[in-house]
Amino acid sequence: MAKEECISQWNETTLRNRKVFPTFTPVSKDTNSQTAGNSSEDDTRSSNGAAAAQFSAEESNESPGKVLLMLVVGLSFSTRLYKITEPPHVCWDETHFGKMGSYYINRTFFFDVHPPLGKMLIGLAGYVTGYDGTFPFLKPGDKYEHHNYWGMRGFCAVLGSFLPIFAYLIVLELSQSPTAALITATLLIFDTGSISISQYILLDPILMFFIMAAMFCMVKFNQQRYRPFTASWWLWLVLCGVNLAGALGVKFVGLFIILLVGLNTIWDLWRLLGDLSLSLMDIAKHFLARIVGLILLPLFLYVAVFAVHFVVLNKSGPGDGFFSSAFQSRLIGNNLHNASMPEYLAYGSTITVKNLRIAGGYLHSHWHLYPEGAGAKQQQVTSYLHKDFNNLWLVHRQDENNSESGTPDLVRHGDIIRLEHKETTRNLHAHLHEAPLTKKHFQVTGYGINGSGDTNDLWQVEVCGGRKGDLVKVLRSKVRFLHRGTGCVLYSSGKTLPKWGWEQVEVTCSPYLKESPSSQWNIEDHINPKLPNISLSLLKPHFLEILLESHIVMIRGNSGLKPKDNEMNSKPWHWPINYQGLRFSGVNETEYRVYLLGNPVVWWINLLSLGLYLIMVAVASVALQRGFSLGQKRIKHCHVLMRGGGLLLLGWLLHYAPFYTMGRVLYYHHYFPAMLFSSMLSGMTLDILLRSADLLLRPPCSDWLQRAGQMGLLLSVLYGFYLFHPLAYGMTGPLAHEPGSAMTGLKWMDSWEF
C-alpha cells in the first residue's frame, strides 16, 4: 500500500510540474518599482515569510561558515609555509626568476619571454625583506648561504596559500553549499603538487593568484546583477579588471582568464538585452561600464606595468642583445647610450650591421676559411653576438674602391652597394654553393682583396616599407640586402656553427624572399668624419615604440621555445592523469630531493569527476526537458550543475585545450591553472552526487550514506597526502626503488621519477 501511495503521489506531482515548471517569471531589476504595489496581499505575506525564513537561515549558518573559512585559511597557510626555507639551495626555475628579481633590485636590463609583473613583485618582495640582489642564481643546487632568500619564497607561498581560499569562496558562491566548497578546499590544500609549486621562487603561484582572484571577483559581480551601479557592483567590476591585468602582466596565459571573463560578460549583456524593462540607454550604460572596467582599466594597468619596468631597468645588461639598437641607446652603460653619429647612412662610412632576429648578432668576418665540405673554401662570414672590431664594414659604391672625396653621397633605398670587411679587406660575397648548415640556402663568404672582387660582391639596399630614394636611417631603418647575382637575401639562420666556425651563428643567402626578422638588419655603429654627428638621444624610441618592440620580442621568444635534444617534453594528455612530474631538486640518495607531482588521489578524483559531471548533466538535462517531478531541491541541483558547473568546465577547457595547439616546449606545471578549475568542478559534482543518496535510500539511511561518502572522500585525500607528502616537503636517503626508501611501493606509475 505504501508503494502504491508513493507512485500515486509521484504521478500527481509530475502532472502538476509539467504545467508549472516551464513557465519562468523574470525577477524585476528594480526592487522599488511601483508595479510591485499591484501584488496581492497573499503574495506579499508569502514573500515576507520566505524572506524572514531565509534571513533566519543565513543568520544561523553565518557562524559555522566563518569557522569553516578560518579552518581553510589556517590549513592552507600552514601547508604552504611549512619548511619554506628548505632546501637552502636553488631549485629548478628559481635560477631564472630569482636572478630576474635580482636584476630589478640592481636595475639591470634583461630579457624574458613573459611580461614583467611577476618578476617585479619577486624583486620587490626580496628588497623589502632584506635581500640585496647579489646572489648570482647560476644553476640549480647552488647554496644560498648567508643570502636572504626566504622573503621571495615566502611571498610566492603566501599567494599560493590564497588559492584554496579563493576556490572555497568561488564554489560557495556558485553552489551555495558549504560542503561543496569544503570538498574543493580539501582537494587543493592537500595536493602535493599545489604545495610544491607554491613554495619556490616561481611565477606560477603569482599567476594563479590573479587568475583565481579575477574568477572570484567575476562570480561576486554576477551576484550583484540585480543591484546595478551600486558601490558593491562597481567594486567587484573594478577588482575583476585589476586582477585581469595582473594575470596578463605575469604570463600571457592570463589571456585564458580574460577570455573566460569576456565570454561571461557577453552572455550577461545578451541577457540584459532581452530584459524589456531596461531602456536602450540603460543597456548602453551597462555596456560602457564593462568596457571601462574590463577593457580600458586592465589595459591601462598592463601598460603601466611596462612603464615601471622600463623606468626601473635603465642599466645595460644581458638583455640588450635581444632588442634593437635604438632600444639599446636608452640603457645606461650601453655603448650607444648618449653616443653621437651621423643620422643617415652614407658611402665611405664605417658601420656595424645587426640582425633583427631574437638575439641577432652582428655581421662578422675573420681570417679563418670555411673547411673542406662546407662550400667554397673562402673566408668565413658569420653572425657574432658580441661587440668586436671584426664587426666593422666599409660602405662603397658598386663601381669604386676608394673612399669618397668631398661630402659623401647618402645611401638610398634601391642603391647597389659593396660591403668591404675593414680588417681583412675582403668583400661580402655570395654564390650558388650550399650554405654549410642550411643546405637550401646559398653560402656567404668574404672574397677578393683590398676591395677588388667580382659581380657577386654587389648587394641592393632595400628599406623595409620604404620607396625608391628613401634614406637609410641609422638605428631606425630595417634594411634588407638583396644579392644581385643570385637574387637571394642576406640571412641569419640562427644555427650555431661547429668549432671550425668558432661556434658563431651561420649567415646565409636565402632564396626565400619573404620578409622576416632573420633577413632584416639595421645599421648600429656609423662612423664618417665627413658628416655631422647627431646625439642618439634624438633617435631614442618613444614609449609606445619600445612597448611594441618588447611584445614582438616576447612573442618571438615564446614561439622559439622548442624542445632541445634529449630534453623531457611533457604532452598535454599526460597532465590530467598525473602521468609524469618534474624534478625540482636532487637526483641521487645523498641529495635533498623535491619532486613536483600532484597527490594521485586528488588528481584521479578530478579526472573521475569530469566524467561524472558530464553524465550527471546529461541526465539532469533529459529530466528537465521531459518535465519529470524533481522537487525544488533537485531543480536547484540541476541549475547549479549546469550554470555554476558549466562555468567551471569552460574555465578548465580554456586553460587546458589551447596547449594542444602550441608548438613550443611544454611542461607539467602548465596544467596547474586548469587543475584549479577541475578541483572546483569536482567539489561541486561530488557534493551533488552525495546529496543524491536519497534517490537510492530513504532517510536516515540516505543521510548515513552521504556522511559515509564525505568521510571516505576526506580520508582518501588525507591518506594520499600522508603517503606522498615527502615529494613536496623534501626527502633524502634511498630512492623509491631501493629498500628503506620513504617512497617504497609508491611508484604507482613507471613514468614517475622519484
Side-chain angles (χ1 to χ4, degrees):
M1 288 295 293
K3 180 178 181 183
E4 291 174 357
E5 183 180 350
C6 289
I7 292 173
S8 174
Q9 185 181 357
W10 184 87
N11 287 333
E12 289 175 7
T13 309
T14 301
L15 291 172
R16 186 163 60 250
N17 282 345
R18 284 185 175 177
K19 292 177 183 178
V20 175
F21 175 70
T23 305
F24 290 90
T25 303
V27 180
S28 172
K29 174 182 73 74
D30 189 355
T31 58
N32 298 319
S33 175
Q34 292 181 358
T35 59
N38 297 328
S39 301
S40 68
E41 187 177 338
D42 289 342
D43 289 343
T44 304
R45 273 201 302 269
S46 174
S47 175
N48 289 340
Q54 182 179 358
F55 177 80
S56 177
E58 288 177 354
E59 191 176 47
S60 64
N61 289 329
E62 186 176 353
S63 181
K66 287 183 177 179
V67 171
L68 285 178
L69 180 58
M70 289 299 101
L71 178 64
V72 169
V73 170
L75 287 173
S76 186
F77 274 85
S78 59
T79 52
R80 270 67 183 168
L81 295 175
Y82 177 62
K83 298 181 72 173
I84 193 67
T85 58
E86 297 294 330
H89 60 247
V90 178
C91 293
W92 194 49
D93 270 358
E94 285 188 327
T95 187
H96 299 303
F97 302 120
K99 182 186 299 181
M100 293 170 186
S102 298
Y103 285 144
Y104 277 106
I105 293 173
N106 297 316
R107 307 191 68 176
T108 303
F109 188 77
F110 67 94
F111 165 71
D112 185 43
V113 297
H114 305 300
L117 180 59
K119 283 94 63 179
M120 289 171 62
L121 293 175
I122 288 172
L124 179 62
Y127 179 76
V128 299
T129 54
Y131 172 59
D132 58 6
T134 57
F135 186 73
F137 287 96
L138 294 178
K139 64 183 184 302
D142 287 352
K143 298 289 185 182
Y144 283 116
E145 296 177 342
H146 63 280
H147 294 276
N148 188 344
Y149 63 96
W150 63 265
M152 293 182 285
R153 277 192 184 173
F155 169 73
C156 293
V158 166
L159 294 190
S161 300
F162 277 99
L163 303 181
I165 301 169
F166 279 134
Y168 174 88
L169 295 172
I170 290 168
V171 174
L172 186 62
E173 288 288 339
L174 292 176
S175 68
Q176 297 300 308
S177 169
T179 306
L182 193 59
I183 291 173
T184 297
T186 301
L187 294 175
L188 290 175
I189 288 171
F190 297 107
D191 176 51
T192 51
S194 298
I195 292 171
S196 296
I197 207 163
S198 299
Q199 288 195 309
Y200 299 93
I201 306 171
L202 303 172
L203 296 184
D204 301 87
I206 308 174
L207 169 69
M208 291 189 287
F209 171 86
F210 284 117
I211 288 175
M212 293 296 281
M215 180 69 183
F216 175 62
C217 294
M218 182 190 77
V219 171
K220 292 293 289 185
F221 176 72
N222 288 343
Q223 300 293 338
Q224 305 292 320
R225 65 178 58 181
Y226 299 118
R227 302 174 60 199
F229 306 109
T230 60
S232 58
W233 188 89
W234 278 109
L235 173 67
W236 293 114
L237 178 67
V238 168
L239 286 178
C240 185
V242 169
N243 285 292
L244 290 179
L248 186 60
V250 176
K251 279 188 176 184
F252 287 128
V253 172
L255 286 169
F256 301 151
I257 188 63
I258 291 176
L259 183 56
L260 178 62
V261 172
L263 292 173
N264 177 78
T265 303
I266 291 170
W267 174 253
D268 192 30
L269 290 171
W270 182 253
R271 178 189 59 80
L272 291 172
L273 189 62
D275 187 349
L276 299 183
S277 67
L278 294 177
S279 67
L280 290 178
M281 182 59 68
D282 290 332
I283 294 173
K285 289 178 181 177
H286 277 278
F287 183 72
L288 289 174
R290 286 159 175 80
I291 287 179
V292 171
L294 300 178
I295 297 177
L296 297 182
L297 175 63
L299 184 62
F300 170 78
L301 294 175
Y302 180 75
V303 171
V305 167
F306 276 88
V308 174
H309 169 73
F310 294 135
V311 168
V312 173
L313 302 186
N314 64 351
K315 297 179 182 177
S316 178
D320 294 17
F322 291 89
F323 290 81
S324 69
S325 305
F327 187 101
Q328 294 179 45
S329 68
R330 49 179 294 280
L331 298 173
I332 299 171
N334 189 284
N335 69 305
L336 297 176
H337 182 69
N338 287 337
S340 60
M341 60 183 65
E343 182 176 6
Y344 298 105
L345 180 63
Y347 293 103
S349 295
T350 301
I351 63 172
T352 60
V353 185
K354 188 176 186 296
N355 188 253
L356 297 187
R357 65 176 290 124
I358 294 176
Y362 297 91
L363 188 65
H364 177 94
S365 189
H366 41 232
W367 289 104
H368 304 279
L369 307 182
Y370 286 103
E372 205 68 48
K377 199 173 181 180
Q378 296 177 6
Q379 184 169 296
Q380 296 175 16
V381 172
T382 64
S383 178
Y384 189 49
L385 296 176
H386 305 285
K387 309 281 186 180
D388 190 87
F389 64 89
N390 276 326
N391 300 339
L392 296 174
W393 299 81
L394 297 171
V395 183
H396 296 298
R397 295 182 185 275
Q398 60 176 320
D399 54 357
E400 57 89 16
N401 293 327
N402 300 320
S403 300
E404 295 276 338
S405 58
T407 302
D409 291 335
L410 301 178
V411 178
R412 299 175 182 272
H413 176 98
D415 282 6
I416 298 172
I417 66 168
R418 182 167 49 82
L419 291 176
E420 177 188 334
H421 188 242
K422 185 174 183 181
E423 175 67 15
T424 62
T425 71
R426 300 190 190 277
N427 296 327
L428 185 68
H429 179 94
H431 45 219
L432 295 177
H433 293 267
E434 284 184 345
L437 300 181
T438 310
K439 298 301 183 182
K440 293 184 178 180
H441 290 194
F442 302 133
Q443 183 187 32
V444 175
T445 68
Y447 180 75
I449 191 71
N450 291 327
S452 63
D454 60 23
T455 56
N456 280 333
D457 302 339
L458 302 180
W459 302 82
Q460 184 171 355
V461 177
E462 178 186 279
V463 178
C464 297
R467 296 176 296 178
K468 188 172 180 62
D470 284 353
L471 298 173
V472 179
K473 298 177 182 178
V474 172
L475 301 183
R476 305 294 291 276
S477 293
K478 297 179 181 179
V479 178
R480 300 206 308 165
F481 297 98
L482 301 174
H483 189 244
R484 294 290 291 172
T486 62
C488 56
V489 61
L490 191 66
Y491 189 92
S492 174
S493 71
K495 299 177 181 178
T496 302
L497 293 168
K499 290 190 180 297
W500 56 256
W502 302 92
E503 297 181 340
Q504 296 173 10
V505 178
E506 179 191 40
V507 169
T508 68
C509 199
S510 171
Y512 308 106
L513 301 184
K514 182 179 178 180
E515 284 190 9
S516 72
S518 295
S519 65
Q520 294 174 331
W521 308 76
N522 73 272
I523 310 303
E524 183 167 295
D525 295 291
H526 183 211
I527 303 168
N528 195 319
K530 297 181 180 179
L531 290 174
N533 291 337
I534 65 165
S535 171
L536 291 188
S537 61
L538 300 175
L539 303 180
K540 285 181 182 177
H542 54 69
F543 173 71
L544 290 181
E545 286 179 313
I546 62 177
L547 180 67
L548 177 62
E549 179 178 348
S550 64
H551 279 77
I552 292 173
V553 172
M554 283 189 294
I555 292 169
R556 288 178 187 165
N558 259 307
S559 61
L561 291 175
K562 305 297 184 184
K564 300 182 178 66
D565 293 338
N566 302 319
E567 183 180 20
M568 187 65 66
N569 183 28
S570 184
K571 294 179 172 56
W573 68 265
H574 292 172
W575 304 339
I577 63 175
N578 216 21
Y579 178 79
Q580 192 174 48
L582 261 175
R583 186 178 289 113
F584 267 24
S585 172
V587 177
N588 56 52
E589 62 183 26
T590 62
E591 295 177 323
Y592 192 95
R593 302 189 302 279
V594 177
Y595 189 71
L596 176 66
L597 184 75
N599 181 340
V601 176
V602 171
W603 285 59
W604 294 341
I605 284 175
N606 284 346
L607 189 61
L608 176 64
S609 297
L610 282 170
L612 280 174
Y613 172 79
L614 296 176
I615 294 171
M616 291 167 65
V617 166
V619 171
S621 299
V622 171
L624 289 174
Q625 188 69 16
R626 295 297 299 169
F628 292 156
S629 175
L630 300 176
Q632 289 301 314
K633 185 178 79 168
R634 297 273 183 271
I635 292 173
K636 178 187 175 184
H637 290 171
C638 292
H639 289 166
V640 167
L641 271 177
M642 288 188 283
R643 294 174 184 172
L647 186 64
L648 296 176
L649 180 66
L650 179 61
W652 176 76
L653 285 171
L654 289 176
H655 286 83
Y656 176 51
F659 287 101
Y660 282 94
T661 67
M662 294 184 186
R664 57 154 291 171
V665 61
L666 299 174
Y667 299 103
Y668 172 62
H669 71 97
H670 288 143
Y671 182 68
F672 276 83
M675 184 266 183
L676 296 174
F677 286 91
S678 179
S679 297
M680 290 188 286
L681 183 61
S682 295
M684 192 177 293
T685 302
L686 294 174
D687 175 55
I688 293 176
L689 179 68
L690 294 173
R691 286 174 181 269
S692 303
D694 57 356
L695 292 174
L696 300 175
L697 299 172
R698 292 185 177 184
C701 296
S702 61
D703 296 332
W704 296 342
L705 179 59
Q706 180 181 342
R707 297 290 178 264
Q710 292 169 349
M711 188 59 63
L713 181 64
L714 174 62
L715 292 177
S716 62
V717 171
L718 289 176
Y719 185 61
F721 176 72
Y722 167 74
L723 292 177
F724 289 93
H725 77 275
L727 296 181
Y729 295 125
M731 53 190 171
T732 55
L735 304 179
H737 62 277
E738 298 172 346
S741 171
M743 305 304 293
T744 298
L746 295 180
K747 194 174 180 182
W748 297 349
M749 298 182 73
D750 291 337
S751 51
W752 296 349
E753 299 173 313
F754 53 79

